[in-house]
Amino acid sequence: MTRPSLEEMSRRLWDGEEWTLKSDNHPFVPLNVLEEVAPDVGFYKNFSNIVVVRTPEGVVMLDTGSHVALMQQLAFEKIRAYDARRVHTAVYTHGHVDHAYGLPPFLREAAERGWSPPAIVGHEAVPARMRRYIDTPGYNARINARQFGMEMEWPTTADFPTATYHDRMELHVGGVRMILRHARGETDDHTWISIPGASVLVTGDMFIWAAPNCGNPQKVQRYARDWASSLREMSAEDASVLLPGHGVPIYGKDRVRQALLETATYLESLHDQTLALMNEGATIDDVIHTVKPPASLTNRPFLQPIYDEPEFIVRNVWRCYGGWYGGVPSEVKPARRAAQAREIAALAGGVDRLVRRAEELARAGDFRLACHLADWAADAEPTSREVHAARARVYDARVKVETSTMAKGIFRDAAKGSHEIAGDEEAIESQRL
Ligand SMILES: [Zn+2]
């Protein structure tokens, strides 16, 4: 079966004939294809995307792809097949390792051929992010392995920008005008790019065919309100093609505008509801169980909670304005988890009661409560193989009903840890595959 064009994939998703939840339509599916989406504008779609602008003075890359050597090589070959001229300039839409770490093969090529190396442009906050990554390899390798459910090497070097900007910057290369603008959103260092001559908008991860990644439980602060404003600014560009950080392009002015404005509305609604509740004195418990995205938008193909999810965005809005105190006074200076868990187990009449009830609740589909009980049981008896075997079953079942990468990753990791303690080799092996 031949693969449909990116435009056809996009249309099918938009029209509801395909669904981003399916693995071959998930925005992160590594297609390894490059298609021209406007005259002299190539779009390379893999796990993350790269935009290649051809000019008489050389190639401009908007994003550079991943730190993983194999992914770099795949991107290099496709881009070189599209245009072999030197890379004049590379722009990072943000400093994440799947966007700003793909230059090494192009830098090696420049050195081998005696070309001057490309200018590297990013927002002025990119270098601090790259230094933070160099300081936190152990932490970042762990949380990303947990998030994606695979072993992960974390880069300890980076190709830092050679030029940064504060608010707005124009690039003119070979007669092509590109306008770079800063926005806080998924990160504090985001750049989105407009190419007015080609009617192309490059969003970086401000648009990824999924509910915005504005709540990620394991990552630093994200900015819902600024994110929404920048989407509204992007829509004013009136572009014909939207090139996202992950997933396929969106084609047609009306669709581009709708995708941007409805994503803005989605974020603003979560933000405004959360802030209103905070002002009324609500606790985190109130807020995360009360705030919901607008019902009119929950069926949109580009707003499904397949990567991040609204409940996590709400927590990030809280963190943007509030402290870490969530409204439960005992949690300000808590007892050790193990001490709490032993006390709860004793009151329940033993750890096996907790375990049995956890499994009952899981069978009834109440995974929120089931997982609390399973965690208390495991914290009360951290080396018990039976307790961990049950906890693994509860979390394995939960992974199946969750939709977001972020939730699935954390629950899969919990199950894996318990399978290891329970000595369940088969389950550990099957999760590795
Ligand atoms: Zn990304």
Side-chain angles (χ1 to χ4, degrees):
M1 201 178 72
T2 54
R3 187 188 57 78
S5 69
L6 295 177
E7 187 164 2
E8 174 64 7
M9 287 180 74
S10 179
R11 185 199 63 75
R12 289 180 191 175
L13 286 169
W14 191 273
D15 290 342
E17 293 169 24
E18 291 287 354
W19 203 231
T20 49
L21 259 175
K22 274 176 52 186
S23 60
D24 50 351
N25 283 291
H26 192 283
F28 289 76
V29 62
L31 292 182
N32 189 36
V33 296
L34 190 149
E35 285 183 19
E36 191 161 79
V37 291
D40 292 321
V41 180
F43 180 75
Y44 173 71
K45 197 241 173 285
N46 212 20
F47 175 87
S48 55
N49 302 332
I50 301 172
V51 178
V52 185
V53 183
R54 310 206 291 191
T55 88
E57 283 179 40
V59 167
V60 177
M61 291 173 68
L62 307 176
D63 266 347
T64 62
S66 150
H67 68 292
V68 178
L70 171 67
M71 305 288 267
Q72 291 177 348
Q73 194 52 35
L74 292 172
F76 181 78
E77 285 166 17
K78 288 280 186 226
I79 291 167
R80 266 14 199 141
Y82 178 59
D83 196 294
R85 280 171 287 195
R86 71 174 277 263
V87 178
H88 180 285
T89 300
V91 177
Y92 297 152
T93 63
H94 60 299
H96 277 169
V97 296
D98 51 337
H99 296 266
Y101 285 74
L103 276 180
F106 295 95
L107 297 175
R108 282 195 297 272
E109 176 193 47
E112 280 162 22
R113 297 184 175 232
W115 295 341
S116 49
I120 307 175
V121 180
H123 180 257
E124 65 186 12
V126 168
R129 169 178 302 274
M130 289 178 155
R131 284 192 293 273
R132 172 161 64 80
Y133 287 171
I134 290 169
D135 288 342
T136 53
Y139 177 74
N140 268 301
R142 272 184 186 76
I143 61 171
N144 284 289
R146 192 185 293 128
Q147 178 170 316
F148 292 110
M150 60 175 76
E151 286 313 306
M152 177 110 180
E153 267 184 49
W154 192 254
T156 49
T157 59
D159 295 309
F160 282 76
T162 57
T164 62
Y165 74 100
H166 177 64
D167 228 16
R168 186 181 190 281
M169 179 176 182
E170 283 203 21
L171 282 180
H172 295 258
V173 182
V176 181
R177 175 170 170 247
M178 286 157 277
I179 307 161
L180 281 53
R181 259 162 292 192
H182 171 239
R184 296 198 307 179
E186 190 197 42
T187 62
D188 59 358
D189 62 353
H190 243 83
T191 292
W192 57 273
I193 303 124
S194 170
I195 312 173
S199 197
V200 163
L201 175 73
V202 180
T203 63
D205 281 359
M206 306 295 253
F207 189 86
I208 61 164
W209 277 96
N213 182 14
C214 188
N216 192 325
Q218 305 187 75
K219 304 276 174 82
V220 299
Q221 186 65 53
R222 279 122 205 259
Y223 306 90
R225 177 140 78 180
D226 294 3
W227 190 326
S229 330
S230 72
L231 293 168
R232 294 197 182 280
E233 279 174 47
M234 288 180 210
S235 80
E237 297 294 311
D238 204 24
S240 302
V241 189
L242 179 159
L243 302 179
H246 300 267
V248 295
I250 293 183
Y251 301 81
K253 286 189 178 192
D254 291 345
R255 288 181 182 187
V256 169
R257 190 179 313 111
Q258 186 183 341
L260 293 167
L261 294 179
E262 289 188 344
T263 306
T265 300
Y266 183 96
L267 283 167
E268 283 159 356
S269 169
L270 294 172
H271 171 274
D272 295 352
Q273 291 178 66
T274 304
L275 199 56
L277 284 167
M278 288 177 80
N279 279 321
E280 288 165 18
T283 61
I284 284 189
D285 181 55
D286 296 327
V287 171
I288 64 169
H289 292 289
T290 308
V291 176
K292 300 280 182 258
S296 59
L297 297 181
T298 49
N299 70 347
R300 291 293 187 269
F302 49 85
L303 287 173
Q304 297 306 302
I306 55 171
Y307 189 50
D308 206 338
E309 54 184 285
E311 181 173 332
F312 301 154
I313 298 177
V314 168
R315 283 190 183 268
N316 230 323
V317 173
W318 178 290
R319 184 170 61 170
C320 203
Y321 294 98
W324 53 262
Y325 177 55
V328 182
S330 57
E331 288 179 357
V332 163
K333 298 188 76 173
R336 289 293 294 238
R337 280 281 309 175
Q340 294 180 45
R342 283 195 297 268
E343 197 65 29
I344 289 163
L347 288 169
V351 168
D352 7 328
R353 291 240 177 138
L354 284 178
V355 167
R356 217 176 315 135
R357 184 65 182 144
E359 296 213 87
E360 251 172 49
L361 287 163
R363 275 193 296 276
D366 189 347
F367 287 105
R368 290 186 184 252
L369 217 39
C371 289
H372 284 300
L373 269 54
D375 281 349
W376 282 330
D379 285 337
E381 281 197 15
T383 56
S384 161
R385 294 177 63 158
E386 293 73 32
V387 167
H388 279 282
R391 180 174 180 264
R393 284 193 292 277
V394 169
Y395 276 109
D396 276 337
R398 186 165 195 180
V399 169
K400 294 202 178 81
V401 301
E402 297 288 342
T403 60
S404 73
T405 301
M406 306 311 168
K408 278 179 186 287
I410 288 170
F411 298 147
R412 194 186 294 113
D413 188 63
K416 180 167 164 261
S418 278
H419 279 304
E420 280 164 8
I421 296 169
D424 186 351
E425 296 299 334
E426 207 175 303
I428 299 165
E429 194 50 40
S430 78
Q431 283 182 339
R432 194 169 290 136
L433 301 174

